[in-house]
Amino acid sequence: MTTTATPRPPGLGSLDRITLTPANEHMLAVAASSMQGVDPWPARKMSEARQLLALGQLAGSKRMQVRELDLEQDLRATVWFDVPVAMTPDSTGALRIQQGAVVGIIYPRVILSIPLPGYALTSLVEPEAGAFYPNLGSSRGQRMCLGAQLPVGIPVVELALGAWSLLAMQTVMLDAGDSAGVMHMAAAEYWQANRDRMPLTREPLLRPDRLPGEPRCS
């Protein structure tokens, strides 16, 4: 594992105290209107969804946006990040960088009772193809591997933070023999030979200037 380790960002403990914007309150209410399931699953979905929306506000709308939210069965969300995305190198071997990514998150009830494989809950929606990462599937609907396993009850906000870290290459697995797994061998070989290009950005999703005191919402 090659990683530029960052501690769990401060401010996450305040997510429940953030007042959602009217737009986010409306998105949550619309998603909740069709919500199904047996208690306590609906309440858990609401809590996880609210925290995801609050995380977007804490990060700022120019950095993260929850674009779609569905709570009918599983919790499903699409999230946009203003993060650099490594694309397949051109014919000369030069790496291409595209700014911005949309990540799909699926949070099923089963995660509350059993751990799931690290690639089970997040995928790269946009760019649709061509992202070039060792821990990202190379086919359309690229699955994102956030580790060997996702623990029981992992919060949705941790999935969002993990997706940012993977795309920014702040955390990356290059060893094909490791249990966390390499999903794209060509990308692993490229990054093994170009470690000096990692990470693509050192900025965390939650910037320090947004953390002290009462979170600012945008």
Side-chain angles (χ1 to χ4, degrees), residues 14-98:
S14 68
L15 292 178
D16 286 334
R17 300 195 299 273
I18 292 177
T19 299
L20 295 184
T21 64
N24 279 339
E25 284 283 11
H26 178 71
M27 177 181 286
L28 186 61
V30 170
S33 67
S34 61
M35 187 164 54
Q36 299 181 27
V38 178
D39 290 338
W41 179 228
R44 179 61 180 265
K45 284 190 289 185
M46 280 289 288
S47 175
E48 295 288 345
R50 192 190 186 288
Q51 290 212 353
L52 183 64
L53 292 166
L55 179 68
Q57 292 184 194
L58 188 59
S61 61
K62 293 183 179 180
R63 200 164 187 81
M64 172 185 168
Q65 298 172 16
V66 179
R67 293 190 168 176
E68 296 179 310
L69 183 63
D70 179 357
L71 300 179
E72 184 173 358
Q73 299 292 341
D74 299 333
L75 186 162
R76 295 174 178 265
T78 56
V79 182
W80 170 85
F81 296 107
D82 182 27
V83 65
V85 179
M87 304 298 291
T88 303
D90 63 23
S91 59
T92 69
L95 186 69
R96 298 175 297 128
I97 300 294
Q98 178 171 320

Side-chain angles (χ1 to χ4, degrees), residues 115-187:
L116 293 176
Y119 56 78
L121 303 185
T122 54
S123 61
L124 187 63
V125 178
E126 295 178 11
E128 291 186 358
F132 197 63
Y133 292 82
N135 313 124
L136 194 66
S138 57
S139 61
R140 185 182 177 91
Q142 302 168 95
R143 291 192 174 192
M144 309 176 75
C145 186
L146 303 184
Q149 276 191 334
L150 300 172
V152 172
I154 183 174
V156 169
V157 295
E158 296 286 357
L159 300 177
L161 291 164
W164 172 279
S165 183
L166 186 155
L167 292 170
M169 300 205 76
Q170 294 168 359
T171 303
V172 58
M173 170 52 62
L174 299 175
D175 181 2
D178 191 278
S179 62
V182 166
M183 303 179 73
H184 193 316
M185 284 303 303

